[in-house]
mmCIF file of all heavy atoms in Angstrom:
data_model
loop_
_atom_site.group_PDB
_atom_site.id
_atom_site.type_symbol
_atom_site.label_atom_id
_atom_site.label_comp_id
_atom_site.label_asym_id
_atom_site.label_seq_id
_atom_site.Cartn_x
_atom_site.Cartn_y
_atom_site.Cartn_z
ATOM 1 N N ARG J 18 119.871 88.819 95.538
ATOM 2 C CA ARG J 18 120.825 88.329 96.619
ATOM 3 C C ARG J 18 122.109 89.130 96.942
ATOM 4 O O ARG J 18 123.068 88.632 97.362
ATOM 5 C CB ARG J 18 121.187 86.964 96.361
ATOM 6 C CG ARG J 18 119.970 86.057 96.030
ATOM 7 C CD ARG J 18 120.470 84.687 95.745
ATOM 8 N NE ARG J 18 119.363 83.797 95.064
ATOM 9 C CZ ARG J 18 119.414 82.492 95.066
ATOM 10 N NH1 ARG J 18 120.355 81.792 95.623
ATOM 11 N NH2 ARG J 18 118.354 81.810 94.470
ATOM 12 N N GLN J 19 122.039 90.434 96.582
ATOM 13 C CA GLN J 19 123.175 91.288 96.724
ATOM 14 C C GLN J 19 122.900 92.439 97.592
ATOM 15 O O GLN J 19 121.761 92.867 97.847
ATOM 16 C CB GLN J 19 123.496 91.820 95.245
ATOM 17 C CG GLN J 19 123.908 90.829 94.308
ATOM 18 C CD GLN J 19 125.243 90.064 94.572
ATOM 19 O OE1 GLN J 19 126.180 90.564 94.960
ATOM 20 N NE2 GLN J 19 125.226 88.743 94.150
ATOM 21 N N PHE J 20 124.001 93.041 98.287
ATOM 22 C CA PHE J 20 123.800 94.220 99.024
ATOM 23 C C PHE J 20 123.519 95.355 97.953
ATOM 24 O O PHE J 20 124.098 95.478 96.872
ATOM 25 C CB PHE J 20 125.237 94.645 99.611
ATOM 26 C CG PHE J 20 125.535 93.799 100.843
ATOM 27 C CD1 PHE J 20 126.622 92.970 100.832
ATOM 28 C CD2 PHE J 20 124.589 93.805 102.029
ATOM 29 C CE1 PHE J 20 126.881 92.242 102.043
ATOM 30 C CE2 PHE J 20 124.919 93.090 103.004
ATOM 31 C CZ PHE J 20 126.049 92.290 103.155
ATOM 32 N N ILE J 21 122.461 96.169 98.321
ATOM 33 C CA ILE J 21 122.231 97.237 97.436
ATOM 34 C C ILE J 21 123.105 98.505 97.732
ATOM 35 O O ILE J 21 123.873 98.400 98.686
ATOM 36 C CB ILE J 21 120.776 97.778 97.695
ATOM 37 C CG1 ILE J 21 120.526 98.367 99.174
ATOM 38 C CG2 ILE J 21 119.745 96.686 97.430
ATOM 39 C CD1 ILE J 21 119.357 99.192 99.284
ATOM 40 N N ARG J 22 123.169 99.363 96.854
ATOM 41 C CA ARG J 22 123.983 100.529 97.000
ATOM 42 C C ARG J 22 122.980 101.646 97.493
ATOM 43 O O ARG J 22 122.144 102.178 96.596
ATOM 44 C CB ARG J 22 124.696 100.955 95.729
ATOM 45 C CG ARG J 22 125.795 99.966 95.456
ATOM 46 C CD ARG J 22 126.411 100.110 94.123
ATOM 47 N NE ARG J 22 126.943 101.430 93.857
ATOM 48 C CZ ARG J 22 127.542 101.932 92.736
ATOM 49 N NH1 ARG J 22 127.694 100.917 91.702
ATOM 50 N NH2 ARG J 22 127.998 103.056 92.546
ATOM 51 N N PRO J 23 122.888 102.022 98.795
ATOM 52 C CA PRO J 23 121.871 102.921 99.193
ATOM 53 C C PRO J 23 121.901 104.301 98.552
ATOM 54 O O PRO J 23 120.820 104.848 98.418
ATOM 55 C CB PRO J 23 122.269 103.008 100.677
ATOM 56 C CG PRO J 23 122.994 101.879 101.037
ATOM 57 C CD PRO J 23 123.816 101.534 99.833
ATOM 58 N N GLU J 24 123.042 104.814 98.142
ATOM 59 C CA GLU J 24 123.124 105.995 97.508
ATOM 60 C C GLU J 24 122.294 106.079 96.174
ATOM 61 O O GLU J 24 121.935 107.143 95.765
ATOM 62 C CB GLU J 24 124.535 106.550 97.284
ATOM 63 C CG GLU J 24 125.304 105.769 96.182
ATOM 64 C CD GLU J 24 125.915 104.446 96.678
ATOM 65 O OE1 GLU J 24 125.533 103.992 97.861
ATOM 66 O OE2 GLU J 24 126.740 103.808 95.925
ATOM 67 N N ILE J 25 122.247 104.952 95.538
ATOM 68 C CA ILE J 25 121.524 104.851 94.128
ATOM 69 C C ILE J 25 120.112 104.537 94.511
ATOM 70 O O ILE J 25 119.257 105.224 94.072
ATOM 71 C CB ILE J 25 122.203 103.761 93.307
ATOM 72 C CG1 ILE J 25 123.595 104.019 92.944
ATOM 73 C CG2 ILE J 25 121.369 103.363 92.077
ATOM 74 C CD1 ILE J 25 124.328 103.025 92.132
ATOM 75 N N PHE J 26 119.856 103.524 95.488
ATOM 76 C CA PHE J 26 118.457 103.217 95.707
ATOM 77 C C PHE J 26 117.656 104.315 96.270
ATOM 78 O O PHE J 26 116.480 104.605 95.928
ATOM 79 C CB PHE J 26 118.344 101.853 96.424
ATOM 80 C CG PHE J 26 117.057 101.273 96.566
ATOM 81 C CD1 PHE J 26 116.580 100.439 95.616
ATOM 82 C CD2 PHE J 26 116.082 101.663 97.635
ATOM 83 C CE1 PHE J 26 115.303 99.727 95.699
ATOM 84 C CE2 PHE J 26 114.943 101.051 97.697
ATOM 85 C CZ PHE J 26 114.420 100.063 96.731
ATOM 86 N N GLY J 27 118.391 104.959 97.246
ATOM 87 C CA GLY J 27 117.782 106.063 97.899
ATOM 88 C C GLY J 27 117.360 107.296 97.045
ATOM 89 O O GLY J 27 116.299 107.871 97.087
ATOM 90 N N ARG J 28 118.344 107.514 96.054
ATOM 91 C CA ARG J 28 118.047 108.617 95.115
ATOM 92 C C ARG J 28 116.938 108.214 94.137
ATOM 93 O O ARG J 28 116.036 109.189 93.996
ATOM 94 C CB ARG J 28 119.337 108.884 94.292
ATOM 95 C CG ARG J 28 119.057 110.122 93.450
ATOM 96 C CD ARG J 28 120.508 110.438 92.619
ATOM 97 N NE ARG J 28 120.889 109.398 91.694
ATOM 98 C CZ ARG J 28 121.782 108.568 91.894
ATOM 99 N NH1 ARG J 28 122.645 108.512 93.009
ATOM 100 N NH2 ARG J 28 122.124 107.641 90.970
ATOM 101 N N HIS J 29 116.932 107.102 93.681
ATOM 102 C CA HIS J 29 115.636 106.693 92.794
ATOM 103 C C HIS J 29 114.392 106.662 93.618
ATOM 104 O O HIS J 29 113.380 107.053 93.200
ATOM 105 C CB HIS J 29 115.980 105.197 92.360
ATOM 106 C CG HIS J 29 117.076 105.166 91.393
ATOM 107 N ND1 HIS J 29 117.553 103.860 90.941
ATOM 108 C CD2 HIS J 29 117.826 106.112 90.841
ATOM 109 C CE1 HIS J 29 118.637 104.139 90.122
ATOM 110 N NE2 HIS J 29 118.747 105.400 89.987
ATOM 111 N N LEU J 30 114.398 106.203 94.922
ATOM 112 C CA LEU J 30 113.255 106.395 95.773
ATOM 113 C C LEU J 30 112.707 107.726 96.015
ATOM 114 O O LEU J 30 111.531 107.850 95.901
ATOM 115 C CB LEU J 30 113.499 105.540 97.164
ATOM 116 C CG LEU J 30 112.379 105.559 98.074
ATOM 117 C CD1 LEU J 30 111.204 104.708 97.637
ATOM 118 C CD2 LEU J 30 112.903 104.983 99.532
ATOM 119 N N CYS J 31 113.664 108.666 96.207
ATOM 120 C CA CYS J 31 113.131 110.076 96.466
ATOM 121 C C CYS J 31 112.532 110.499 95.234
ATOM 122 O O CYS J 31 111.555 111.252 95.364
ATOM 123 C CB CYS J 31 114.387 110.841 96.764
ATOM 124 S SG CYS J 31 114.061 112.667 97.057
#
Side-chain angles (χ1 to χ4, degrees):
R18 312 184 190 192
Q19 302 290 324
F20 286 116
I21 65 162
R22 291 170 56 178
E24 71 279 8
I25 294 178
F26 192 88
R28 186 173 67 251
H29 294 168
L30 181 62
C31 178

